[in-house]
Amino acid sequence: MSSTRIHSGDVPADFSPHSLRDASGAGTVESHIDPGEIAVGVIIGRASEYFDFFVYAIASVLVFPRVFFPFEERLEGTLYAFLIFSFAFIARPFGTVIFMEIQRRMGRSAKLTFALFLLGVSTAGIAFLPTYSHLGFAAIIWLSVLRIGQGVALGGSWDGLPSLLALNAPENKRGWYAMLGQLGAPAGFLIAAGLFWFMLTTLTDEDFLDWGWRYPFYVAFAINVVALFARLRLVSTNEYARLLDERELQPVSVFEMSRGQGRNVLIGALAALASYALFHLVTVFPLSWISVYQTRSAPDFLQIQMLGAVLAAIGVVISGLLADKVGRRTTLGVLAVLIAIFSAFVPTLMGGGNTGQDVFILVGFSLLGLSYGQAAGAVTANFPARFRYTGAALTSDLAWLVGAGFAPLVALGLSANFGLAYVSFYLLSGAVASLAALSLNRALEIRD
């Protein structure tokens, strides 16, 4: 059996690795896993998920209103597309529950294999899906079913590696290791936006709507297959299985979880709500706004957003340094205040022409990187060891559902019917919820 060595200086004081016996049982070898190796698995998994996520999100703005809802005006068609977009976030917690039970009965490898199969079928299905002009209303039904399949599969793809990384990271570098997986968000957006920008600038509008938009889904399918097999190969080894067992990172009954840890799940989801609300208000919503009202060309706007994604990646890295210096809670709290201030300028900037929109994108992406870099597992430490695996998954699912799942639909609907000022209130409410949850979390720690 192979083993991986970790330097003693990289191990937190509370880590007491067990020994692994060889096949004969006659000797022992040390099974120590370097946090850097775990981080690679986290980055691979998160980057592939975010790329798939943004391919669908951008297509919901630039493609789906025209090929699946051609019978509606552009605004209504985009709102319908955003409604279907939200289905994955609704389905994701159900996927977590279903696949947790599969893992309890059949093991981690079977769970990830089934998730891989479902995600691949759903993503490839969208790439090959006939449009409304060929299949009629059935095309919309199939798009909805495949989107739900993506959500269920993403819930099932939780492998526990982010929690394992958080527990095994050196104590003085917890913020740094926590931000590594979050780099997948700006990286995924940059690649997805780049692919659509290339298609829009090299193809005619007719070719793009006929077959060009499908190509990013082919790429997403290939990346998901490679990434999930890489993660499967990682977590199915005896070394990682033993380490997951030692840290009690195993699924528990969701009903037991809800009874004993429901409050921690809710507080964890709300603690980073400002980041999750801002997530779609600088990525998906502005693109839909300029597309619906045709204030500027989509390729030019995508270029600004790609520059914003670079700034977000820099912000994610800086967030790791800040969190290790002043603490994750302080970092999230200060950023929630800054996001609240930023929310007041949404109408001025988005309604201020190209220059104002560019400022909105660049500042918004920068704040997103700084805040989202520490959004994952905001209160993971509040979970007792045996609840941490399931708790982290459900907390993430709930944060996406409450903070981001309906954000494009709500923001575009509010702005179209009542004005951009209502988008400010929506973002402000997320910042206030974050500050309240962070305050409750501090009270829980003091009480404990």
Side-chain angles (χ1 to χ4, degrees):
M1 178 185 299
S2 61
S3 64
T4 306
R5 184 176 300 170
I6 188 171
H7 299 291
S8 59
D10 292 336
V11 186
D14 63 341
F15 180 55
S16 301
H18 296 177
S19 62
L20 279 177
R21 296 191 179 277
D22 61 15
S24 65
T28 61
V29 293
E30 292 184 341
S31 174
H32 297 170
I33 307 299
D34 193 300
E37 188 177 353
I38 304 173
V40 171
V42 173
I43 293 172
I44 289 174
R46 300 301 293 277
S48 65
E49 289 177 9
Y50 282 115
F51 175 73
D52 181 86
F53 172 92
F54 282 119
V55 164
Y56 192 98
I58 296 174
S60 294
V61 175
L62 301 180
V63 180
F64 295 164
R66 302 172 68 183
V67 301
F68 289 107
F69 302 99
F71 51 87
E72 294 285 358
E73 296 295 329
R74 188 64 181 267
L75 172 61
E76 287 73 18
T78 304
L79 290 173
Y80 281 132
F82 281 163
L83 177 62
I84 296 177
F85 174 75
S86 69
F87 289 173
F89 299 95
I90 299 172
R92 188 165 180 163
F94 293 97
T96 296
V97 173
I98 293 170
F99 279 92
M100 285 286 182
E101 188 61 29
I102 291 175
Q103 180 175 339
R104 284 161 58 90
R105 294 175 180 271
M106 305 177 64
R108 186 178 297 107
S109 296
K111 168 191 170 182
L112 288 178
T113 300
F114 291 148
L116 162 68
F117 178 77
L118 180 58
L119 185 60
V121 168
S122 299
T123 303
I126 295 173
F128 289 99
L129 187 63
T131 62
Y132 182 87
S133 62
H134 294 93
L135 202 60
F137 192 75
I140 300 174
I141 299 298
W142 275 110
L143 179 65
S144 302
V145 170
L146 294 172
R147 183 58 177 165
I148 292 172
Q150 284 185 316
V152 172
L154 287 173
S157 68
W158 176 254
D159 50 24
L161 288 178
S163 295
L164 188 61
L165 177 62
L167 291 170
N168 282 11
E171 187 172 356
N172 63 337
K173 293 184 178 180
R174 294 280 172 88
W176 178 262
Y177 279 96
M179 69 85 187
L180 291 176
Q182 304 299 80
L183 283 171
F189 181 85
L190 188 62
I191 300 172
L195 272 175
F196 276 98
W197 173 85
F198 178 78
M199 292 294 170
L200 287 169
T201 54
T202 57
L203 299 176
T204 65
D205 187 62
E206 182 180 0
D207 285 341
F208 174 73
L209 293 178
D210 183 27
W211 59 267
W213 68 270
R214 302 176 187 274
Y215 180 74
F217 284 92
Y218 300 145
V219 177
F221 168 71
I223 290 178
N224 281 326
V225 170
V226 173
L228 275 175
F229 270 120
R231 293 157 67 193
L232 180 62
R233 180 177 179 273
L234 187 67
V235 303
S236 63
T237 62
N238 291 333
E239 291 89 344
Y240 278 92
R242 181 62 61 91
L243 192 54
L244 288 165
D245 289 342
E246 289 172 351
R247 290 300 195 177
E248 299 185 57
L249 293 176
Q250 301 295 337
V252 298
S253 166
V254 174
F255 298 105
E256 181 182 358
M257 181 80 204
S258 301
R259 287 196 301 268
Q261 300 297 317
R263 189 178 186 185
N264 279 339
V265 172
L266 181 61
I267 292 175
L270 295 179
L273 193 62
S275 300
Y276 284 92
L278 183 61
F279 197 94
H280 281 154
L281 293 187
V282 297
T283 56
V284 185
F285 164 68
L287 184 61
S288 69
W289 175 266
I290 68 102
S291 297
V292 168
Y293 295 104
Q294 299 179 344
T295 59
R296 59 197 296 186
S297 71
D300 289 345
F301 195 72
L302 284 173
Q303 283 185 308
I304 297 297
Q305 287 192 303
M306 286 189 282
L307 177 58
V310 174
L311 296 179
I314 296 172
V316 170
V317 174
I318 293 175
S319 77
L321 301 174
L322 287 175
D324 286 329
K325 186 175 181 62
V326 303
R328 176 181 294 161
R329 184 176 294 101
T330 300
T331 301
L332 287 173
V334 170
L335 266 299
V337 172
L338 292 177
I339 290 172
I341 296 173
F342 176 70
S343 69
F345 295 92
V346 172
T348 302
L349 295 177
M350 280 300 295
N354 290 6
T355 301
Q357 291 168 359
D358 291 350
V359 172
F360 175 81
I361 291 300
L362 298 180
V363 174
F365 266 99
S366 299
L367 289 175
L368 176 64
L370 289 168
S371 60
Y372 192 66
Q374 297 301 311
V379 293
T380 301
N382 284 349
F383 292 110
R386 66 184 300 264
F387 291 109
R388 189 170 283 120
Y389 181 87
T390 304
L394 290 177
T395 298
S396 177
D397 293 343
L398 187 60
W400 278 112
L401 176 61
V402 175
F406 297 96
L409 177 67
V410 172
L412 183 59
L414 287 175
S415 61
N417 290 283
F418 304 105
L420 286 166
Y422 283 82
V423 180
S424 295
F425 291 125
Y426 180 82
L427 184 56
L428 178 62
S429 67
V432 171
S434 287
L435 290 171
L438 290 169
S439 176
L440 286 173
N441 186 41
R442 179 178 292 275
L444 281 175
E445 282 197 350
I446 293 173
R447 186 191 66 194
D448 292 342

